[in-house]
């Protein structure tokens, strides 16, 4: 019986000794710890309630952490993990003279953020651009793999470049170039980065970005409501549409008669209520993309139609002209479509249709017969208008004064009558017949003259009116007659009437001297108008 109990005791002691052991360190024999994170290593023993634990690195580097023991479990905490923690660690436990240990390999890495996609300036359709994928604070960079995709297609690969290094942390970038096409508008681009750490599962991060391709303006078109041809007083809406990224700046302009442009609006839609004839013309939609620095233009021609409006009838140079001047009759009107213009002369019996070109009639040399009323009639398919004007013609005085009962030749001392008259439209006033020197009163016409022999008389007729005046000079031929010598008789008369001879003798001597002068008379007519 005693022998049996001894054997059982020995067997139980051997089982207890074999039961003491150290389990695998948690989280595992190989651990990837990210720099800056917290790492906790748990080392547990079995078969002993309070074993003695110790931690060390394989090459006796500092632990880089804190140790806490709780019964059969020992914990090594690294917070934060850094480059000093990249070692093989041993956890040792002893109990009753028995020693046990476990090893864990710590591999650290840094891959803290997703890749960053950078585009070299605004992407413009058709212009080469570069895209860079940048990965910050990577460790170890030798285990990094980077590629980019556009949609589901791999983009041409560039070379990895080291941009920045802090101790062992590196910023790695990958750049590729491409030329955006229309199929790239709204396409997504993805940068994928994979970090592999020895004997560990690789870590992957990625970033996706929609390509913002700037383009345009393109495919510009203008619509007009209700249309480009519309009636006067209607409302007009012009819409300018375009494809552009970013949205284009739109400016409406109108082309003026002198070829200059007038800015009239800044929105996609230009509204013109109650259109008039002067709203007709060429409208320009100017579209500008301020990123692509591209400007495009489109034009539309608007025609406002209606009945002729505001006809004008002009008589040039004026409505009152002088006989012989050139006169232009001109009729103008605002009309769309173009109006037919007819110019008539209003007569009492029947109107006279005048031949005109573009609403203009020329009268090269106007006469009094051309005076009267004229009418301009304009008409298109929407209506008709009329306007009238009156032409007055003032004629010059007749170029020669007509003398009635005017003798071309008279006998010395013969009585004669001289009458002057002019003929014109309107009738001018005729001046009185004058002599130079005057031989008769100036207050009446016709004038009775009694002329002595051997004398010459010149008569003048002044003609004057509202716009002209003139003078006609008349010379009359007087025939000398043979008469007895009155000188002796006059001397006797003077002797017998000595008391009154003084004044009379002087007059008679004067007359005798005049009688001895032979004269000839001729008729010369000249009228010189003065305005």
């Amino acid at each position: 019986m005693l022998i049996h109990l001894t054997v059982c005791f020995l067997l139980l002691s051997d089982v207890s000794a074999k039961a003491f052991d150290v389990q695998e360190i948690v989280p595992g024999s190989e651990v990837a710890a990210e720099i800056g994170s917290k790492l906790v290593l748990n080392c547990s023993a079995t078969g002993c309630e309070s074993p003695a634990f110790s931690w060390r690195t394989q090459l006796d580097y500092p632990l880089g952490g804190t140790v806490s023991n709780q019964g059969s479990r020992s914990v090594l905490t690294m917070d934060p993990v850094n480059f000093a923690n990249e070692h093989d660690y041993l956890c040792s436990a002893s109990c009753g003279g028995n020693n046990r240990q476990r090893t864990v390999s710590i591999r650290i890495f840094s891959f803290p953020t997703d890749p960053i996609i950078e585009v070299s300036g605004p992407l413009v359709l058709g212009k080469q651009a570069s895209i860079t994928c940048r990965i910050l604070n990577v460790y170890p960079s030798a285990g990094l793999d980077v590629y980019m995709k556009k949609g589901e297609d791999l983009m041409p690969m560039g070379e990895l470049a080291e941009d920045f290094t802090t101790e062992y942390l590196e910023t790695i970038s990958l750049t590729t170039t491409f030329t955006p096409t229309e199929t790239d508008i709204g396409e997504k681009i993805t940068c994928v980065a994979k970090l592999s750490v020895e004997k560990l599962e690789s870590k992957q991060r990625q970033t996706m970005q929609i390509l913002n391709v700037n383009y345009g303006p393109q495919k510009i078109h203008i619509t007009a409501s209700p249309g480009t041809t519309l009636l006067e007083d209607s409302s007009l809406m012009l819409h300018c549409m375009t494809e552009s990224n970013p949205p284009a700046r739109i400016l409406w302009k109108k082309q003026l008669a002198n070829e200059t442009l007038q800015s009239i609006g800044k929105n996609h839609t230009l509204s013109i209520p109650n259109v008039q004839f002067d709203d007709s013309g060429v409208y320009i939609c100017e579209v500008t993309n301020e990123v692509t620095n591209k400007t495009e233009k489109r034009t539309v021609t608007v025609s406002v139609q209606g009945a002729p409006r505001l006809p004008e009838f002009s008589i040039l140079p004026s409505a009152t002209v002088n006989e012989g001047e050139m006169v232009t009759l001109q009729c103008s009107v605002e009309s769309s479509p173009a109006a037919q213009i007819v110019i008539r002369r209003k007569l009492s019996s029947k109107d006279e249709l005048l031949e005109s070109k573009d609403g203009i009639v020329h009268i090269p040399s106007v006469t009094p017969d051309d005076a009267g009323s004229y009418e301009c009639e304009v008409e298109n398919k929407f209506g008709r208008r009329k306007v009238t004007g009156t032409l007055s013609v003032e004629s010059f005085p007749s170029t020669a004064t007509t003398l009635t009962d005017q003798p071309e030749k008279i006998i010395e001392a013969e009585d004669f009558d001289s009458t002057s008259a002019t003929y014109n439209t309107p009738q001018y006033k005729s001046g009185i017949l004058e002599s130079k020197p005057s031989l008769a009163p100036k207050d009446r016409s016709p004038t009775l003259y009694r002329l002595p022999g051997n004398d010459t008389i010149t008569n003048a007729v002044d003609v004057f009116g509202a716009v002209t005046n003139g003078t006609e000079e008349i010379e009359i031929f007087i025939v000398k007659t043979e008469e007895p010598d009155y000188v002796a008789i006059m001397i006797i008369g003077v002797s017998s009437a000595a008391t009154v001879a003084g004044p009379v003798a002087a007059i008679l001597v004067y007359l005798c001297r005049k009688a001895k002068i032979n004269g000839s008379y001729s008729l010369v007519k000249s009228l010189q108008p003065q305005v």
Side-chain angles (χ1 to χ4, degrees):
M1 183 69 177
L2 180 61
I3 294 172
H4 178 73
L5 289 173
T6 302
V7 171
C8 288
F9 177 78
L10 293 173
L11 290 174
L12 288 173
S13 298
D14 186 66
V15 170
S16 299
K18 290 182 179 179
F20 174 69
D21 199 2
V22 175
Q23 296 180 344
E24 184 174 329
I25 298 175
V26 177
S29 61
E30 293 183 343
V31 177
E34 187 168 10
I35 295 175
S37 65
K38 179 180 180 180
L39 177 61
V40 177
L41 300 177
N42 285 280
C43 183
S44 299
T46 59
C48 183
E49 292 183 359
S50 299
F53 288 98
S54 65
W55 291 85
R56 67 180 179 86
T57 63
Q58 195 170 32
L59 298 177
D60 291 329
Y61 286 104
L63 287 177
T66 59
V67 177
S68 64
N69 297 318
Q70 298 176 358
S72 62
R73 185 168 65 95
S74 179
V75 177
L76 174 59
T77 302
M78 305 172 189
D79 186 19
V81 175
N82 55 53
F83 288 104
N85 299 126
E86 190 171 34
H87 300 291
D88 290 339
Y89 285 82
L90 284 79
C91 174
S92 299
S94 62
C95 182
N98 296 317
N99 295 315
R100 300 284 186 273
Q101 66 182 19
R102 290 285 182 175
T103 302
V104 59
S105 180
I106 306 298
R107 296 291 178 264
I108 64 173
F109 71 93
S110 178
F111 197 20
T113 59
D114 291 338
I116 299 172
I117 297 176
E118 298 175 348
V119 180
S120 60
L123 293 178
V124 177
L125 187 68
K127 292 186 177 181
Q128 189 179 70
S130 63
I131 297 180
T132 299
C133 181
R134 200 179 305 279
I135 303 95
L136 306 179
N137 300 323
V138 177
Y139 179 82
S141 60
L144 185 67
D145 183 25
V146 182
Y147 62 91
M148 283 188 283
K149 297 190 300 181
K150 185 174 64 175
E152 297 302 324
D153 301 325
L154 287 174
M155 298 184 71
M157 295 296 295
E159 293 184 359
L160 287 174
E162 182 181 304
D163 288 347
F164 185 78
T165 300
T166 302
E167 293 185 356
Y168 297 101
L169 296 180
E170 298 176 283
T171 295
I172 305 299
S173 63
L174 175 66
T175 301
T176 186
T177 60
F178 80 111
T179 301
T181 64
E182 289 189 357
T183 58
D184 295 325
I185 298 174
E187 184 63 274
K188 66 179 181 179
I189 189 168
T190 306
C191 177
V192 180
K194 291 183 178 181
L195 182 65
S196 298
V197 181
E198 183 180 1
K199 298 181 181 181
L200 297 177
E201 183 180 355
S202 62
K203 306 289 183 179
Q204 178 174 308
R205 289 180 179 273
Q206 69 179 36
T207 298
M208 188 271 292
Q209 182 174 314
I210 301 298
L211 289 177
N212 182 27
V213 180
N214 298 281
Y215 60 88
Q218 60 188 21
K219 300 179 181 178
I220 305 169
H221 65 280
I222 299 175
T223 60
S225 177
T228 56
T229 301
L230 65 164
L231 292 177
E232 190 178 15
D233 294 324
S234 301
S235 293
L236 174 64
M237 301 282 285
L238 296 177
H239 304 275
C240 184
M241 308 302 295
T242 184
E243 294 181 5
S244 177
N245 182 44
R249 175 174 56 86
I250 292 180
L251 184 62
W252 282 100
K253 297 180 180 180
K254 186 182 179 186
Q255 184 173 303
L256 303 180
N258 58 1
E259 300 301 323
T260 60
L261 299 178
Q262 177 186 15
S263 297
I264 55 176
K266 294 183 178 180
N267 298 319
H268 284 275
T269 300
L270 177 66
S271 177
I272 307 176
N274 303 316
V275 294
Q276 302 299 314
F277 286 143
D278 55 7
D279 291 317
S280 296
V282 177
Y283 290 81
I284 302 170
C285 175
E286 184 177 277
V287 186
T288 301
N289 185 321
E290 295 181 350
V291 175
T292 63
N293 293 321
K294 185 179 179 181
T295 298
E296 295 289 340
K297 298 178 182 179
R298 293 294 183 273
T299 62
V300 62
T301 301
V302 173
S303 176
V304 180
Q305 298 189 344
R309 190 180 67 173
L310 304 176
E312 293 184 0
F313 188 45
S314 303
I315 301 176
L316 303 173
S318 69
T320 300
V321 296
N322 297 323
E323 181 180 3
E325 288 191 65
M326 186 179 79
V327 173
T328 299
L329 308 178
Q330 181 173 314
C331 185
S332 59
V333 66
E334 292 184 37
S335 178
S336 179
Q340 181 183 6
I341 300 177
V342 175
I343 299 177
R344 301 183 182 91
R345 182 181 180 189
K346 306 293 288 182
L347 301 174
S348 57
S349 57
K350 183 181 179 181
D351 292 348
E352 177 186 0
L353 181 63
L354 303 181
E355 183 178 350
S356 63
K357 182 178 181 181
D358 298 329
I360 297 175
V361 173
H362 295 292
I363 304 176
S365 181
V366 73
T367 68
D369 293 337
D370 294 317
S373 179
Y374 291 83
E375 178 185 80
C376 168
E377 180 181 277
V378 293
E379 180 180 8
N380 65 15
K381 65 180 181 180
F382 296 106
R384 176 187 303 174
R385 298 284 188 274
K386 293 181 180 181
V387 63
T388 60
T390 301
L391 172 64
S392 297
V393 180
E394 294 185 348
S395 62
F396 289 106
S398 177
T399 57
T401 302
T402 302
L403 301 177
T404 60
D405 298 329
Q406 176 65 60
E408 296 181 2
K409 182 188 301 184
I410 59 174
I411 304 300
E412 184 180 20
E414 181 183 358
D415 294 338
F416 72 93
D417 291 333
S418 176
T419 304
S420 65
T422 58
Y423 298 91
N424 46 62
T425 304
Q427 184 69 42
Y428 285 91
K429 179 180 179 182
S430 297
I432 60 175
L433 183 67
E434 297 180 352
S435 64
K436 298 180 180 179
S438 177
L439 299 178
K442 297 182 180 181
D443 58 351
R444 56 194 175 90
S445 178
T447 303
L448 178 64
Y449 294 94
R450 186 174 184 82
L451 301 177
N454 298 324
D455 199 359
T456 300
I457 184 170
T458 300
N459 297 304
V461 178
D462 291 328
V463 181
F464 51 93
V467 295
T468 62
N469 60 76
T471 300
E472 183 174 346
E473 293 186 354
I474 306 160
E475 292 184 355
I476 303 173
F477 180 75
I478 302 176
V479 180
K480 181 180 181 299
T481 57
E482 295 295 335
E483 295 182 3
D485 189 356
Y486 295 105
V487 177
I489 299 174
M490 289 182 182
I491 294 174
I492 296 170
V494 172
S495 301
S496 64
T499 55
V500 293
V504 176
I507 293 174
L508 292 178
V509 171
Y510 173 78
L511 293 176
C512 288
R513 288 180 179 176
K514 294 294 286 185
K516 291 181 181 288
I517 299 173
N518 292 326
S520 62
Y521 296 81
S522 63
L523 184 60
V524 179
K525 299 179 180 180
S526 62
L527 181 60
Q528 301 176 346
Q530 301 175 353
V531 179

